Amino acid sequence: MNSGAEFDIIVYGATGFTGRLVAEHLAKQYGVGGDVKWAMAGRSLDKLQQVRDEIGAPKDTPLIVADASDPASVKAMVERTKAVLTTVGPYQLYGSDLVAACVAAGTDYLDLCGEPNWMAAMIPLHHEAARKSGARILFSCGFDSIPFELGVYFAQQTAKQKLGGPVPRVKGRMRKLKGGLSGGTAASGRATMAAIQKDPSLFAVMVDPFALTPGFKGPEQPAGQAVEHDEDLNADVGPFMMAAINTKNVHRSNFLQGHAYGADFVYDEMAVVDPNAPASFALEEGTGPQPGEGPSKEERETGFYDAAFIGIAADGRKVVVSVKGDKDPGYGSTSKMIAETAICLVKEAADVPGGLWVPGAALGDKLIARLQKNAGLTFEVEA
């Protein structure tokens, strides 16, 4: 970690829709210049000043001009902070140089990435160098994929307490969800589709549950592509649009923890079938929300999610836990999750070594406690 830095956290992309919400959370929760020293960064000083005033942050909130197209400005930003929290996506278009700069400087990095093709490319490029420099690079620190990665972790911790050890099978089931797709998520989806069209070999990465565990392939995993009846929920379940991202992060989490869930661990994600829900989100160019767009404050405040994680032991015994969020997943909850993950990393995780991480594997119980206290998440044992 860049221990002699001026700031704990710089929010890069603070003038974007999600970055603004992150800055707003930090301003309301921690103020400026207190225990958490943070700054706002973006391409335009005028826009940064405007957003600072709109979110009610103090006039003395530090503002930093940095532009992905100007490597010198990015390098200067990275060297001033212990951690860069970036909401500037799609990361496969705008994240690679920032990761490299953070690795070189020994500065921590956190993002909201749901782009497995890019993450799979970054791991072999930077993991060893990050280990040497001490930079902790944390991908997927929002709804992609904290509730799911930590949901499995919490289920396994519960299984250890109740059943005497970890379980070889966990089912993730999204029971309820209210909240729309973000412009950034839609842009990431379009960028990934374009990347696959350009390089069809990337399709294999997208369908491989072990794409983020270099050198390790676990057992066959359930496809989760057809509607089926789930006896544990007594409900029909079907494909869940985020499963392709979350399952990879869950397997990487197990991998980074030295296969704490076992080398034969099986995990899948599905969603309870809601006949009133849209079949899919449009990702074609020009359709759906665009970058910088998102739901209204009322839509964010009335959104929520409820996911169950069912752990099944080899002898059939089970544990059931839940992870719930009190805001819409893509913005209200995501912005609080990544902000609190950054603080947890900088303030409570000096023992975590450098490398390319997912947040649950790095921060575990400390992050669960912080998310429950400050980010509106609840982790409960149901059975």
Side-chain angles (χ1 to χ4, degrees):
M1 188 168 67
N2 187 4
S3 55
E6 181 181 352
F7 301 110
D8 293 318
I9 299 162
I10 291 178
V11 181
Y12 180 51
T15 57
F17 199 97
T18 307
R20 170 193 298 240
L21 294 174
V22 173
E24 186 173 24
H25 174 75
L26 290 171
K28 286 182 176 176
Q29 193 80 11
Y30 301 100
V32 169
D35 184 49
V36 178
K37 295 179 173 55
W38 63 280
M40 297 168 60
R43 288 179 295 181
S44 163
L45 182 59
D46 288 346
K47 190 84 182 288
L48 285 166
Q49 291 169 335
Q50 179 186 336
V51 170
R52 175 200 64 198
D53 295 343
E54 287 172 355
I55 66 174
K59 289 286 187 188
D60 61 348
T61 302
L63 307 177
I64 297 166
V65 176
D67 189 335
S69 65
D70 177 6
S73 70
V74 171
K75 181 174 183 288
M77 172 184 72
V78 162
E79 290 173 349
R80 294 178 69 183
T81 187
K82 293 178 182 175
V84 173
L85 183 168
T86 175
T87 62
V88 181
Y91 297 98
Q92 58 198 291
L93 301 182
Y94 305 113
S96 299
D97 291 343
L98 180 57
V99 169
C102 286
V103 169
T107 297
D108 295 341
Y109 165 103
L110 305 93
D111 70 19
L112 299 171
C113 188
E115 304 163 43
N117 54 315
W118 180 72
M119 293 188 286
M122 291 294 103
I123 291 166
L125 269 181
H126 295 299
H127 184 67
E128 285 304 316
R131 284 182 63 184
K132 289 175 182 172
S133 74
R136 285 89 59 87
I137 309 299
L138 270 62
F139 296 137
S140 305
C141 298
F143 193 60
D144 303 339
S145 297
I146 280 180
F148 308 93
E149 189 209 342
L150 277 180
V152 173
Y153 173 87
F154 184 60
Q156 293 287 12
Q157 297 298 100
T158 303
K160 284 193 239 177
Q161 292 170 3
K162 286 180 164 275
L163 308 180
V167 291
R169 173 81 171 103
V170 174
K171 300 193 296 187
R173 299 292 183 259
M174 180 54 65
R175 294 188 291 202
K176 295 179 183 175
L177 184 152
K178 182 183 178 188
L181 181 70
S182 74
T185 299
S188 292
R190 287 192 290 268
T192 299
M193 284 190 207
I196 292 170
Q197 287 170 351
K198 188 174 179 183
D199 180 2
S201 71
L202 292 176
F203 182 74
V205 173
M206 297 303 293
V207 299
D208 180 4
F210 299 98
L212 304 182
T213 59
F216 174 79
K217 294 287 182 190
E220 191 77 16
Q221 304 287 311
Q225 293 302 308
V227 174
E228 60 187 65
H229 189 73
D230 191 316
E231 296 290 347
D232 291 306
L233 296 179
N234 192 25
D236 289 342
V237 294
F240 180 47
M241 66 172 294
M242 291 177 57
I245 299 161
N246 296 332
T247 52
K248 292 175 180 58
N249 278 323
V250 166
H251 285 298
R252 179 156 179 81
S253 185
N254 184 33
F255 176 79
L256 289 170
Q257 294 176 76
H259 295 292
Y261 314 154
D264 59 348
F265 178 62
V266 175
Y267 175 69
D268 74 323
E269 273 177 19
M270 301 184 80
V272 171
V273 174
D274 178 357
N276 301 313
S280 64
F281 292 107
L283 291 179
E284 288 79 20
E285 195 66 49
T287 64
Q290 299 302 301
E293 296 178 351
S296 67
K297 185 173 178 17
E298 181 184 357
E299 288 170 327
R300 297 196 304 272
E301 295 289 328
T302 58
F304 60 88
Y305 52 92
D306 170 3
F309 297 87
I310 302 151
I312 307 169
D315 62 7
R317 291 179 300 157
K318 295 173 184 175
V319 294
V320 181
V321 306
S322 66
V323 179
K324 299 175 183 177
D326 68 344
K327 298 286 186 289
D328 84 294
Y331 289 103
S333 189
T334 278
S335 57
K336 292 191 292 183
M337 273 189 273
I338 191 171
E340 294 298 332
T341 303
I343 296 168
C344 188
L345 181 66
V346 169
K347 296 290 188 182
E348 301 179 42
D351 58 332
V352 175
L356 272 63
W357 289 91
V358 282
L363 302 171
D365 295 326
K366 292 175 183 174
L367 183 54
I368 288 176
R370 183 168 277 280
L371 294 175
Q372 292 203 108
K373 183 180 179 184
N374 298 319
L377 272 70
T378 56
F379 292 76
E380 295 177 348
V381 178
E382 296 189 354

